[in-house]
Amino acid sequence: QKPLVESGGGSVQAGGSLTLSCAESGLYTVTGFCMAWFRKTSENEREGVAAIDRSGDTIYADSVKGRFTISKDNTKNILYLQMSNLEPEDTATYYCASEAMYGLCPPLNEGRPPERTDFGYWGQGTQVTVSS
């Protein structure tokens, strides 16, 4: 097994904050390699939000840069997404993703936000709703 389980979603008012967590378990974990957060609405394709590689380098989508922070705790096998100054446009289902292939983190390697095809492991999603 190599499950990813998101938690921390909920409903907040515009301007508020939430922190999402993604717990990884299994024989081996990939938190030291490449992980990311995505979000999906009924109208939009799954959007890459942020990514982090084994060294801790990060990259963000322009829509969240300056408001969201991705981080990870390799010893606890947990990925985090700190979200501040939330806007109604941030309402979506948020997914964490991992790349298990050693040495690869294309978003950081190529200097761009994460894409769906970069990752092989996905969580079930957690809902974030931001109201006016």
Side-chain angles (χ1 to χ4, degrees):
Q1 61 174 350
K2 200 65 175 180
L4 298 174
V5 181
E6 301 96 337
S7 62
S11 181
V12 299
Q13 294 183 353
S17 300
L18 281 175
T19 298
L20 306 181
S21 299
C22 175
E24 186 177 26
S25 63
L27 183 61
Y28 297 99
T29 62
V30 296
T31 52
F33 299 146
C34 187
M35 300 192 74
W37 287 97
F38 289 76
R39 63 187 183 184
K40 179 73 172 68
T41 69
S42 61
E43 299 180 0
N44 299 319
E45 187 176 341
R46 190 172 300 188
E47 174 192 21
V49 174
I52 186 168
D53 68 7
R54 69 186 304 272
S55 70
D57 291 336
T58 60
I59 193 164
Y60 298 88
D62 289 340
S63 59
V64 306
K65 190 172 184 177
R67 300 187 298 120
F68 291 11
T69 300
I70 187 172
S71 62
K72 60 186 177 73
D73 186 330
N74 291 340
T75 62
K76 296 182 178 180
N77 301 321
I78 299 177
L79 177 74
Y80 300 99
L81 184 67
Q82 297 173 267
M83 305 184 294
S84 300
N85 298 317
L86 284 163
E87 305 168 352
E89 291 75 16
D90 297 317
T91 295
T93 302
Y94 284 73
Y95 301 86
C96 65
S98 296
E99 170 55 56
M101 189 173 297
Y102 184 82
L104 291 180
C105 197
L108 276 302
N109 297 152
E110 300 174 12
R112 55 162 174 80
E115 299 175 359
R116 291 168 57 189
T117 54
D118 295 329
F119 298 91
Y121 293 105
W122 296 85
Q124 83 286 0
T126 186
Q127 179 66 34
V128 172
T129 302
V130 184
S131 60
S132 300

